[in-house]
């Protein structure tokens, strides 16, 4: 806690900045606009966004008007007495949507709920977690997909820091989910260039583009069993993850396999 009024959570890795000071607001806004116009940046990543009030983020958004902005609000999953994640993770995903609304609605947020639930579901063999109590996706993409940035890992959770890494043998299933589902999917450099997954990830990205899957696309979950998850997206593609292969009865005859790999298949409508 600094000597100035604090509008958010503490972070011991850096000093507080008094964002309520109008001089600070003006100079930071000027600097952001300089790197936008002179250097060529067109968007912002608001790191540790819960460290300052959403009103502050809203002010900088208004002063700089970026083409794209994403906030990092990273809270852990909630756990039950058995040490496993609770099925209901609704509290934090609503915190993400409320933050987006509070900063004016034009920013996005990293969908840590989708990452956490997807990761837990694959690790524990509990793919039933991928369907919430309303029958939709359980992450932020189930509430406000147009403002949800999905990811498998980032520089904090994976890469060299590995604070919360996705299991390496299930990374491609993670990409099948985020690249076929609504939201704004992001791909970490390491997986694409260093892990030898460029070809598989590229196929998924092209399937998404070819079929016009958007951040706001609709999801119809066809199966959510412990070992099998199947969903139709916009009724144009069907994605399957999980070790069980008896999923053909869920796929209409006018769909053909577009790509497949270890424990995953994606079909396209013909």
């Amino acid at each position: 806690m600094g000597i100035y009024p604090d509008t958010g959570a503490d972070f011991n890795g850096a000093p507080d900045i008094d964002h309520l000071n109008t001089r600070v607001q003006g100079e930071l806004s000027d600097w952001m606009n300089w790197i936008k116009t002179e250097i060529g940046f067109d968007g912002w990543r608001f790191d540790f966004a819960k460290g300052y009030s959403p009103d502050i983020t809203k002010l900088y958004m208004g002063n700089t008007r970026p083409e794209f902005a994403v906030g990092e609000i990273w809270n852990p999953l909630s756990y039950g007495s058995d040490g496993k994640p609770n099925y209901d993770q609704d509290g934090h995903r609503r915190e993400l949507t409320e933050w987006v609304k509070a900063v004016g609605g034009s920013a996005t947020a990293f969908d840590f709920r989708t990452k956490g639930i997807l990761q837990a579901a694959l690790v524990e063999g509990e793919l039933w977690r991928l369907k919430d109590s309303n029958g939709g996706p359980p992450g932020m993409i189930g509430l406000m997909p147009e403002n949800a940035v999905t990811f498998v890992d980032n520089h904090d959770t994976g890469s060299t820091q590995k604070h919360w890494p996705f299991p390496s043998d299930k990374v491609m299933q993670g990409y099948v989910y985020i690249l076929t589902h609504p939201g704004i999917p992001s791909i970490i450099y390491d997986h694409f260039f260093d892990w030898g997954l460029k070809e598989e990830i590229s196929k998924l990205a092209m399937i998404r583009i070819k079929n016009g899957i958007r951040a706001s696309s609709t999801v119809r979950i066809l199966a959510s069993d412990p070992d099998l998850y199947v969903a139709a997206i916009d009724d144009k593609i069907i994605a399957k993850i999980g070790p069980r292969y008896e999923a053909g009865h869920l796929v209409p005859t006018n769909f053909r396999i577009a790509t497949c790999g270890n424990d995953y298949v994606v079909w396209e409508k013909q």
Side-chain angles (χ1 to χ4, degrees), residues 40-99:
F41 284 83
D42 56 9
W44 314 130
R45 177 187 188 273
F46 290 102
D47 194 35
F48 193 62
K50 63 182 181 179
Y52 36 91
S53 165
D55 290 336
I56 299 299
T57 307
K58 184 177 182 180
L59 181 145
Y60 291 127
M61 287 286 293
N63 287 350
T64 61
R65 301 191 180 281
E67 293 293 322
F68 178 80
V70 58
E72 180 207 42
I73 305 168
W74 180 359
N75 287 328
L77 296 174
S78 64
Y79 288 83
S81 57
D82 60 357
K84 287 189 174 185
N86 291 319
Y87 169 68
D88 184 0
Q89 297 286 336
D90 201 49
H92 180 50
R93 70 170 177 171
R94 291 196 179 275
E95 181 182 351
L96 293 173
T97 61
E98 289 305 312
W99 180 86

Side-chain angles (χ1 to χ4, degrees), residues 177-232:
Y177 186 91
I178 69 168
L179 286 170
T180 60
H181 280 55
I184 305 167
S186 59
I187 301 165
I188 190 171
Y189 180 100
D190 306 48
H191 292 160
F192 195 75
F193 290 106
D194 299 338
W195 284 39
L197 301 178
K198 181 177 180 179
E199 183 177 349
E200 287 184 90
I201 292 173
S202 295
K203 284 182 181 178
L204 292 169
M206 291 307 299
I207 291 168
R208 183 183 184 89
I209 294 168
K210 175 185 174 184
N211 289 279
I213 306 303
R214 308 173 312 281
S216 58
S217 288
T218 59
V219 176
R220 187 163 53 90
I221 297 174
L222 305 175
S224 55
D225 300 328
D227 58 350
L228 176 70
Y229 173 84
V230 182

Side-chain angles (χ1 to χ4, degrees), residues 23 46 76 92 115 122 237-238 255:
R23 178 179 175 184
F46 290 102
H92 180 50
K115 186 249 193 315
L122 286 167
I237 63 174
I238 295 175
F255 278 71

Side-chain angles (χ1 to χ4, degrees), residues 157-180:
T157 65
S159 193
T160 56
Q161 298 196 75
K162 295 182 173 62
H163 291 309
W164 193 23
F166 212 86
S168 59
D169 62 330
K170 294 176 170 56
V171 160
M172 277 309 305
Q173 291 183 76
Y175 279 112
V176 168
Y177 186 91
I178 69 168
L179 286 170
T180 60

